[in-house]
Amino acid sequence: MKTRKITRLFVLAVIVLAVGWTFYTAYFKDKTTVQVGKPVPDFVAQQIGGEKVQLSQLKGKAVVLNFWGTYCPPCREEMADLNRASKEFANKDVVILAINVGESEIPIQSFARQYKLDALPLLMDPARAITRKYQIGQMPSTFFVRADGTLYKHIVGGPMSYKTIQDNMQQIVP
Amino acid sequence: MLDNVKCECGHANPVGTTLCESCGAPLADGTAANQKLDMRYEGAARRSQVYQKTIVDRVWNFFSSVRNAVIMIVLTLIASAIGTIFPQERYIPVPKPAEQYYPEAYGTLGLIYYKLGFHNLYSSWWFIALMLGIGISLVICSLDRVVPLYRALKKQRVKRDKKFLQIQKVNAELDASGKDAEQLAAALEESLKKKRYHVRREQNALLGEKGRFSRWGPYINHIGLIIFLAGCLMRLIPGFYLDQYVWVREGQTVPVPETNYYLKSVEFVKEYYQDDEFPEKLDLDGVVVKEYKTKAVLYENENASIPGAEPKLKQVAQHDIQVNHPLKYEGLLLYQSGEQENQLQALNLKLMDTATKQSLGSVKLDLLSPAKEVKASKDVTVQVLQYFPDFALDENKQPITKSTEPNNPAFIVNTISPKTPNGEKQWIFLGNTLTADGKEPIITYAFAKPDLVDMSGLMVRKDNSIPVIFFGAAISMIGLVMGFYWQHRRIWFQTEGDKLLVAAHTNKNWFGVKNEVVKILEANGYHISAAQLEKEAKQS
Amino acid sequence: MSNLIGLSNTMLTIAFIFYCIATILFFVAVTGKSFRNRTPEGHGKRFGRIAYATAVLGFLAHAVFIGMRWYIGGHIPTSNMFEFMQFLGFAMTLAFLGIYLIYRIPLIGAFVMPFSVIVVAYAAVFPREVTPLIPALQSYWLQIHVSTAALGEGAFAVGFAGGLMYLLRTVNLKENSASAVWLEIVMWVICALIAFIVLVFSFQLAGYKTTFKAPFQMSTGQVVESQVKYHMPAIVGPKDGTLETTDKMKPWFEAPAFMKGNQAARKFNTLIWSVAGGTLLYGVARLAFRRRISAVASKWVQDLEPELVDEISYRAVAIGFPIFTLGALIFAMIWAHEAWGRFWGWDPKEVWALITWLFYSAYLHLRLSRGWQGKKSAWMAVIGFILVMFNLVFVNLVISGLHSYA
């Protein structure tokens, strides 16, 4: 009699665990690679008019990663503000990296000329390798990363107001 | 707590048993003489019928009930049908978002369909819950039944109580006066063996049995289905399942998403049937495709740890990918899925001196990654100042690009030549040009045939659970075949005094077993028809 | 080559004729008992044997047709609606021939062979030319998946016939019970099917054609004007369409907007004709017999032992179920994995195959575990096969998609 009870309990427990795990993994588990508080993935990218930049070598500085494209209207709108913020935080150890998604050099360069982006480093990701790693969907997509490499905040969409940019950059100043 | 039920023969049966485990006699509180005999589990006690006390028992009983299982099957059936009323979201034929498509195409009904989530029915939580319910039921139904059945069949004795034989569906009482019981038994044993029955004998009682293995068929089938469903669930294990898509142009090498592989399309080939390849003259509206394939090369990136780093590619596989013949490499599968032919790859432009009509050379402007400067001839250089792959004007009439796809390419070029030492700026669109002031340019660009390439759409797949899924399906098939193409037949012969008692039981195909009994009896001098054997229909 | 094609088509025609003759002979074996001066049993046996032999001859001719066409086309003839339907008729005949050998009851023939005839006739309304295989079908799985599925469905057809026979035998038609009404509805559905085939056949023979031009939205979102050809007079026309062949009948009304696709209106038209024709045929039969059709048919089956018919019906399903599982589900999944990268995509055809499978599974469970024998079981066998036909006709023609090759 006791064995009957134990057997049943065991079988049902196994089933409950399996079902629970299924539902959890299918519907609730967070599958993003970039999460607040966790380190963001490293990458290397070619800078327009410069050399290659590797994220991990900027350790000690806070970084703002802004994924954008010239084909994305809200991205275009916030570029000037990002450029301005770049200047403001230049000696506060906070760097903005504007990572272009999927375009070739010419459109990016002429865009930089047209919008007078003299202080904003523009990085290229023509094959979208970095974009995919960061699971970018909607653009612009901005990651505010602390000096230790962990994510402080992720803002999707835009354009961000200058105040938003400024406040968040202030939060990550090392 | 457990009361055992004692049989006349002295054996103590667990509660709930309807036929004595030892002699087969119907038990007092089990089958009454006029109640229908239930031989499905040899009269053994099924736990779920007996214990109903605790919550564990109640949950168990819910899932062990065939009635509930059938209800779940029917609900799944109806739900699946609902999902075919309107196309599911992934099969929407036009590039519109779901919330727009359903009300537009199907009106109010479409809106209701969308709001209820039916456009994604098969991945909704309640549908998955239904299937999990069926899965749980498969496990518990089987456990609940197979254990008592196995025990009962293993333990069954040859000699049975008279009452057991008399209540069987197929039975007869024949006159055996004057016959030697032992001889009769031996003769009957021979006849049974001739019909490939396995015969056990206890004194002068015979039990001929064949096809017992087919009783396990349904349970093996259920195990197969459980493995199958478990395989489907395994997809949720990270790394087990990959479902991606890549577009690759001829000559292009693209990364395969979520992997460290790169894929190159060497060529996309599409062939049509020639008229002489048809066996008959056909009145077709179009042409019939004979084959289409992507000649592909797969590379592995050895430098894959940091995204954005220069890939170091090593070729690992090469294959002509076509429908029914995917590229397979170490668990990665690439399927020929879509195609877009004749995509713009580069513009070919001829330069000409407008005044003298003298040719000044030609340039190729690549539409994916244009160079900043191209030489048309020895002293003519074309500088590419601006490039819009998908040209449009925004609300302020400013030129922008809508995407990175070269759907509507536009360039601003600066032509440096002896006649234009400081350069001449021009817009180059698809098919025409425009100068800054609208006047005739000094250097004219004429359009030659652009470079066109075919683009292949390949589905990227990794599915480690496939072996498990198909293994489960195979087991399920074996169980079905076992259970449906063989039957478990048993024939009892027992002499009681001067009577020969005959009884038979099968789990399916009574027609066949009756005929066998008739033939065996005929071989031993008894003439009885099949109809006479089955008395149940006439009685009660 | 064209001689071979002509010869093969002749073989199919021969097979069809033999099936028809076999059907008639089976009916004679069953009904002619009273006005012969032999014993009813002897008469039944004699004509039963003749009818069976005729069916076998038809089957052999049919097999020759399949073999020849296989050779001519270079592929098993199961690649489009015509080919599949005739193969289904072949499978149904095969299933019947097999099961007859076990039970030797001519009456089964009287119910299954007519359906073989109907199905082969239905096949003939589709384009019959030998076409080469499109790339998606260039696989050895075409042989395996389609033919096994057809075989399973053939067995289900025998189960359907047995179920129908059981109901006609046991439902009390004098009462106006739900069973009696539904049985008559099934008779009407069969009339509609016969009417559909006769109508499509006749209009095709007469060469009736009418064309419309109507706007349709393509998958890219573009709206194009395309031509729609009708092979029957247009009762319903495509939405916003203009009749091009002005000497033909004008449509009475236009298809509603929710009917998508440029063939939707034509199919709707065919449906209207079938329903109307079926009702007409049913009405005529009802008037001629002055009774319900099921009452007429039930007289033929009065000599049957209900339990035996019940068992035949069940046995047919039990034999067919593993075959159907193997062909329509397992082989289908393996092929889908090889061809499209996913073994199951929930497309309408796959879903309806699953629904059929689940339904027959419920049938078996209810019968074996819940004791649903007799009438309940018979109704389920009838409904199950209707589901199979629904999958073949409706899903293939109406709900178009990746999987429909008609």
Side-chain angles (χ1 to χ4, degrees):
Chain A
M1 187 229 322
K2 254 217 176 96
T3 43
R4 179 260 309 174
K5 205 169 174 178
I6 295 175
T7 327
R8 287 195 175 189
L9 206 51
F10 179 72
V11 171
L12 285 179
V14 167
I15 291 177
V16 165
L17 279 172
V19 169
W21 178 84
T22 306
F23 270 91
Y24 167 69
T25 323
Y27 293 110
F28 297 108
K29 184 151 160 242
D30 196 354
K31 296 194 188 91
T32 45
T33 49
V34 193
Q35 292 173 22
V36 174
K38 298 265 168 57
V40 300
D42 191 15
F43 63 83
V44 65
Q46 176 73 45
Q47 184 174 355
I48 297 271
E51 341 70 41
K52 285 200 190 264
V53 174
Q54 184 160 2
L55 182 63
S56 52
Q57 285 171 356
L58 292 170
K59 234 196 179 100
K61 295 199 184 157
V63 182
V64 181
L65 299 171
N66 175 271
F67 288 82
W68 68 285
T70 69
Y71 45 83
C72 151
C75 309
R76 293 198 291 264
E77 285 178 45
E78 63 181 18
M79 276 316 213
D81 282 340
L82 283 170
N83 192 50
R84 196 174 127 211
S86 219
K87 288 187 201 163
E88 185 184 322
F89 283 80
N91 48 8
K92 290 196 195 156
D93 271 352
V94 185
V95 178
I96 308 182
L97 299 174
I99 304 173
N100 176 279
V101 176
E103 296 185 277
S104 51
E105 216 180 327
I106 295 177
I108 305 175
Q109 271 185 330
S110 20
F111 181 85
R113 266 198 313 268
Q114 186 184 352
Y115 281 69
K116 301 192 185 39
L117 305 175
D118 48 356
L120 187 60
L122 301 171
L123 303 181
M124 287 185 16
D125 185 21
R128 301 178 201 238
I130 309 169
T131 308
R132 265 198 308 275
K133 186 79 185 187
Y134 276 72
Q135 294 171 327
I136 306 297
Q138 195 192 345
M139 288 202 290
S141 192
T142 314
F143 298 85
F144 293 88
V145 184
R146 292 197 199 87
D148 62 0
T150 61
L151 179 66
Y152 165 68
K153 194 190 265 195
H154 177 204
I155 298 181
V156 180
M160 296 181 288
S161 66
Y162 187 72
K163 186 156 183 349
T164 311
I165 302 171
Q166 194 183 38
D167 286 347
N168 282 296
M169 284 177 81
Q170 192 58 52
Q171 289 298 313
I172 55 174
V173 172
Chain B
M1 212 205 299
L2 254 196
D3 301 343
N4 282 334
V5 184
K6 231 187 169 106
C7 173
E8 287 171 359
C9 72
H11 181 84
N13 295 286
V15 99
T17 315
T18 56
L19 300 174
C20 175
E21 288 178 337
S22 175
C23 68
L27 294 173
D29 63 336
T31 318
N34 57 354
Q35 227 177 40
K36 203 158 176 216
L37 167 68
D38 184 358
M39 280 284 287
R40 279 178 299 158
Y41 309 105
E42 295 293 294
R46 264 182 57 214
R47 287 141 167 163
S48 62
Q49 309 303 73
V50 177
Y51 308 111
Q52 280 143 32
K53 304 221 161 121
T54 65
I55 181 92
V56 171
D57 288 329
R58 273 203 280 243
V59 171
W60 185 275
N61 293 348
F62 177 84
F63 282 108
S64 82
S65 148
V66 172
R67 183 199 77 135
N68 291 339
V70 170
I71 291 176
M72 285 191 273
I73 290 176
V74 170
L75 285 176
T76 307
L77 194 159
I78 296 175
S80 305
I82 294 177
T84 64
I85 297 178
F86 298 132
Q88 292 285 289
E89 184 171 14
R90 60 144 71 167
Y91 292 122
I92 292 180
V94 292
K96 282 200 192 125
E99 57 192 342
Q100 203 186 343
Y101 174 74
Y102 288 100
E104 261 181 36
Y106 302 109
T108 334
L109 281 177
L111 186 62
I112 298 176
Y113 197 78
Y114 171 74
K115 281 276 193 282
L116 286 174
F118 288 159
H119 60 295
N120 259 321
L121 195 141
Y122 304 108
S123 45
S124 57
W125 65 268
W126 54 271
F127 190 78
I128 300 207
L130 260 178
M131 300 220 282
L132 279 174
I134 293 181
I136 298 172
S137 165
L138 278 171
V139 173
I140 295 187
C141 273
S142 307
L143 278 178
D144 197 55
R145 288 168 175 76
V146 77
V147 176
L149 181 62
Y150 179 76
R151 286 221 194 110
L153 284 178
K154 199 160 160 89
K155 278 196 286 196
Q156 66 177 325
R157 286 183 48 210
V158 176
K159 197 158 155 70
R160 298 294 189 129
D161 188 278
K162 188 169 158 176
K163 284 193 284 256
F164 173 82
L165 298 178
Q166 282 170 337
I167 57 172
Q168 292 300 318
K169 182 166 164 171
V170 169
N171 76 86
E173 219 171 276
L174 301 167
D175 186 24
S177 51
K179 299 208 180 175
D180 178 43
E182 216 186 295
Q183 266 183 356
L184 184 59
L188 288 168
E189 187 173 343
E190 264 313 298
S191 305
L192 280 170
K193 283 198 177 141
K194 279 215 187 92
K195 291 225 172 269
R196 288 175 293 126
Y197 278 83
H198 170 71
V199 185
R200 281 163 59 194
R201 187 167 166 176
E202 202 181 311
Q203 293 151 20
N204 289 328
L206 292 171
L207 166 59
E209 186 175 10
K210 66 176 173 181
R212 192 198 288 189
F213 71 92
S214 93
R215 293 298 282 276
W216 315 126
Y219 303 104
I220 296 187
N221 171 38
H222 288 164
I223 291 175
L225 291 175
I226 294 166
I227 297 175
F228 179 91
L229 288 176
C232 294
L233 285 184
M234 276 168 82
R235 288 186 169 188
L236 295 170
I237 302 175
F240 258 66
Y241 185 66
L242 178 63
D243 182 6
Q244 279 291 338
Y245 205 92
V246 281
W247 285 99
V248 55
R249 293 166 169 242
E250 285 171 316
Q252 198 185 19
T253 305
V254 294
V256 179
E258 286 183 48
T259 70
N260 292 335
Y261 295 104
Y262 279 70
L263 185 82
K264 177 177 179 174
S265 162
V266 175
E267 198 192 344
F268 177 76
V269 173
K270 190 174 195 174
E271 266 179 46
Y272 296 90
Y273 282 105
Q274 300 303 308
D275 274 345
D276 59 351
E277 281 178 304
F278 291 135
E280 255 185 270
K281 195 161 181 321
L282 295 173
D283 174 30
L284 289 172
D285 279 340
V287 284
V288 182
V289 181
K290 179 173 173 182
E291 72 171 357
Y292 54 96
K293 59 188 175 194
T294 305
K295 291 174 129 91
V297 181
L298 187 70
Y299 300 93
E300 187 160 5
N301 181 11
E302 295 175 322
N303 198 12
S305 45
I306 302 178
E310 196 64 46
K312 204 163 84 137
L313 297 179
K314 181 182 83 155
Q315 178 173 336
V316 292
Q318 192 181 354
H319 186 70
D320 289 356
I321 304 179
Q322 32 183 318
V323 186
N324 289 315
H325 300 283
L327 188 156
K328 296 186 192 181
Y329 179 73
E330 294 206 344
L332 182 74
L333 295 153
L334 289 160
Y335 292 84
Q336 173 67 49
S337 176
E339 81 233 26
Q340 287 196 32
E341 292 178 285
N342 300 325
Q343 301 293 297
L344 287 169
Q345 176 88 331
L347 294 183
N348 291 316
L349 300 158
K350 291 208 210 340
L351 286 80
M352 190 178 69
D353 185 322
T354 321
T356 67
K357 305 271 190 280
Q358 184 201 1
S359 162
L360 296 172
S362 58
V363 289
K364 188 188 286 283
L365 295 177
D366 185 76
L367 296 175
L368 296 181
S369 194
K372 288 193 219 164
E373 223 173 73
V374 192
K375 253 182 144 43
S377 57
K378 197 169 52 110
D379 40 2
V380 181
T381 311
V382 178
Q383 292 175 333
V384 179
L385 300 177
Q386 243 298 41
Y387 172 50
F388 303 93
D390 201 349
F391 179 81
L393 295 171
D394 69 4
E395 61 261 8
N396 302 324
K397 297 287 200 280
Q398 293 300 304
I400 52 150
T401 180
K402 286 194 292 188
S403 74
T404 56
E405 293 304 305
N407 298 324
N408 186 15
F411 291 88
I412 301 182
V413 294
N414 193 25
T415 326
I416 310 214
S417 69
K419 275 206 182 153
T420 58
N422 296 325
E424 181 186 36
K425 292 208 182 108
Q426 274 188 65
W427 276 98
I428 298 186
F429 299 101
L430 200 59
N432 56 348
T433 64
L434 189 64
T435 49
D437 53 6
K439 295 211 190 94
E440 279 261 28
I442 300 173
I443 313 281
T444 306
Y445 283 84
F447 292 86
K449 190 162 183 298
D451 285 0
L452 298 172
V453 290
D454 295 333
M455 204 155 76
S456 306
L458 302 170
M459 185 185 298
V460 183
R461 211 18 145 253
K462 192 177 183 195
D463 202 340
N464 289 346
S465 56
I466 286 281
V468 176
I469 288 173
F470 283 125
F471 177 68
I475 302 286
S476 177
M477 264 321 292
I478 294 174
L480 281 177
V481 167
M482 272 172 70
F484 282 117
Y485 293 158
W486 279 273
Q487 307 100 36
H488 179 216
R489 291 183 183 171
R490 281 174 297 171
I491 302 180
W492 293 274
F493 289 115
Q494 242 167 247
T495 39
E496 299 262 330
D498 58 352
K499 292 260 183 262
L500 172 67
L501 297 175
V502 184
H505 181 77
T506 180
N507 62 339
K508 25 179 92 87
N509 189 15
W510 287 96
F511 183 76
V513 77
K514 273 188 283 182
N515 283 344
E516 283 203 321
V517 173
V518 163
K519 289 216 176 83
I520 292 175
L521 287 175
E522 271 195 16
N524 287 280
Y526 289 98
H527 298 283
I528 185 168
S529 75
Q532 283 173 296
L533 275 176
E534 192 172 333
K535 302 200 189 78
E536 196 203 29
K538 296 187 182 139
Q539 278 177 358
S540 70
Chain C
M1 191 56 99
S2 49
N3 311 343
L4 273 180
I5 294 175
L7 188 57
S8 76
N9 285 338
T10 312
M11 293 309 287
L12 184 63
T13 315
I14 292 177
F16 183 72
I17 295 174
F18 270 99
Y19 289 157
C20 289
I21 298 177
T23 307
I24 298 173
L25 286 174
F26 274 116
F27 271 107
V28 169
V30 158
T31 57
K33 287 187 197 156
S34 38
F35 36 80
R36 295 276 152 181
N37 40 6
R38 328 155 201 257
T39 62
E41 224 183 271
H43 166 92
K45 264 212 179 102
R46 186 158 176 265
F47 269 90
R49 249 176 281 152
I50 300 176
Y52 187 80
T54 319
V56 171
L57 284 174
F59 178 78
L60 290 172
H62 200 157
V64 172
F65 162 77
I66 290 175
M68 288 181 78
R69 194 162 167 116
W70 194 327
Y71 170 72
I72 296 168
H75 61 87
I76 189 174
T78 51
S79 68
N80 55 26
M81 268 308 256
F82 163 69
E83 291 183 343
F84 178 74
M85 275 302 179
Q86 61 82 25
F87 195 89
L88 180 63
F90 180 75
M92 283 167 67
T93 308
L94 177 62
F96 160 67
L97 293 177
I99 288 184
Y100 182 87
L101 285 176
I102 306 176
Y103 293 102
R104 298 201 185 263
I105 298 179
L107 198 44
I108 311 175
F111 275 79
V112 179
M113 288 314 292
F115 275 97
S116 282
V117 168
I118 289 176
V119 167
V120 175
Y122 181 54
V125 309
F126 293 98
R128 259 171 278 174
E129 294 86 10
V130 183
T131 46
L133 287 177
I134 58 173
L137 295 179
Q138 287 171 17
S139 164
Y140 58 83
W141 286 109
L142 179 64
Q143 266 101 283
I144 304 175
H145 158 54
V146 181
S147 51
T148 313
L151 217 54
E153 289 171 355
F156 287 160
V158 177
F160 165 81
L164 196 58
M165 281 154 66
Y166 184 91
L167 291 168
L168 287 169
R169 168 73 176 79
T170 56
V171 170
N172 189 344
L173 293 164
K174 297 213 173 50
E175 308 171 357
N176 220 4
S177 61
S179 293
V181 171
W182 278 107
L183 198 50
E184 196 61 14
I185 292 177
V186 173
M187 294 294 137
W188 174 84
V189 169
I190 295 176
C191 287
L193 191 60
I194 296 175
F196 165 64
I197 290 163
V198 168
L199 283 171
V200 179
F201 213 69
S202 321
F203 281 121
Q204 241 196 33
L205 221 55
Y208 187 95
K209 270 199 186 68
T210 181
T211 19
F212 289 87
K213 236 191 166 68
F216 297 107
Q217 196 175 42
M218 306 255 288
S219 56
T220 52
Q222 244 186 322
V223 175
V224 283
E225 284 272 309
S226 77
Q227 227 184 28
V228 184
K229 288 199 194 122
Y230 275 42
H231 296 288
M232 288 171 136
I235 297 178
V236 59
K239 189 146 173 52
D240 302 326
T242 35
L243 185 60
E244 287 195 329
T245 45
T246 41
D247 58 330
K248 297 287 193 305
M249 180 171 102
K250 276 202 179 48
W252 300 2
F253 64 101
E254 283 190 345
F258 70 82
M259 294 201 163
K260 294 279 142 183
N262 58 353
Q263 297 301 313
R266 179 179 62 84
K267 292 167 185 172
F268 187 36
N269 192 43
T270 315
L271 185 67
I272 295 178
W273 270 104
S274 316
V275 170
T279 312
L280 184 65
L281 182 63
Y282 176 79
V284 164
R286 217 25 218 270
L287 281 171
F289 292 122
R290 272 188 292 218
R291 276 172 297 189
R292 289 180 167 171
I293 299 187
S294 38
V296 175
S298 97
K299 288 189 81 195
W300 308 331
V301 298
Q302 286 310 311
D303 282 338
L304 284 178
E305 219 187 282
E307 253 198 46
L308 183 59
V309 181
D310 181 52
E311 182 163 323
I312 294 173
S313 170
Y314 160 69
R315 195 83 189 279
V317 173
I319 292 176
F321 187 74
I323 302 176
F324 181 78
T325 307
L326 189 63
L329 289 183
I330 296 185
F331 288 153
M333 289 196 281
I334 300 177
W335 192 10
H337 176 71
E338 282 292 307
W340 300 327
R342 93 281 185 281
F343 71 91
W344 190 264
W346 296 106
D347 83 37
K349 194 152 180 81
E350 289 172 337
V351 173
W352 279 96
L354 179 67
I355 291 174
T356 307
W357 187 81
L358 286 173
F359 182 85
Y360 277 107
S361 161
Y363 167 90
L364 292 166
H365 279 94
L366 287 169
R367 196 183 162 101
L368 297 171
S369 280
R370 300 285 297 176
W372 273 37
Q373 298 187 337
K375 269 201 210 130
K376 291 186 197 168
S377 176
W379 271 115
M380 285 198 81
V382 167
I383 296 172
F385 191 68
I386 292 180
L387 279 179
V388 170
M389 292 312 292
F390 179 85
N391 194 2
L392 285 174
V393 177
F394 218 67
V395 175
N396 251 339
L397 296 184
V398 179
I399 310 174
S400 60
L402 183 63
H403 213 149
S404 62
Y405 294 108

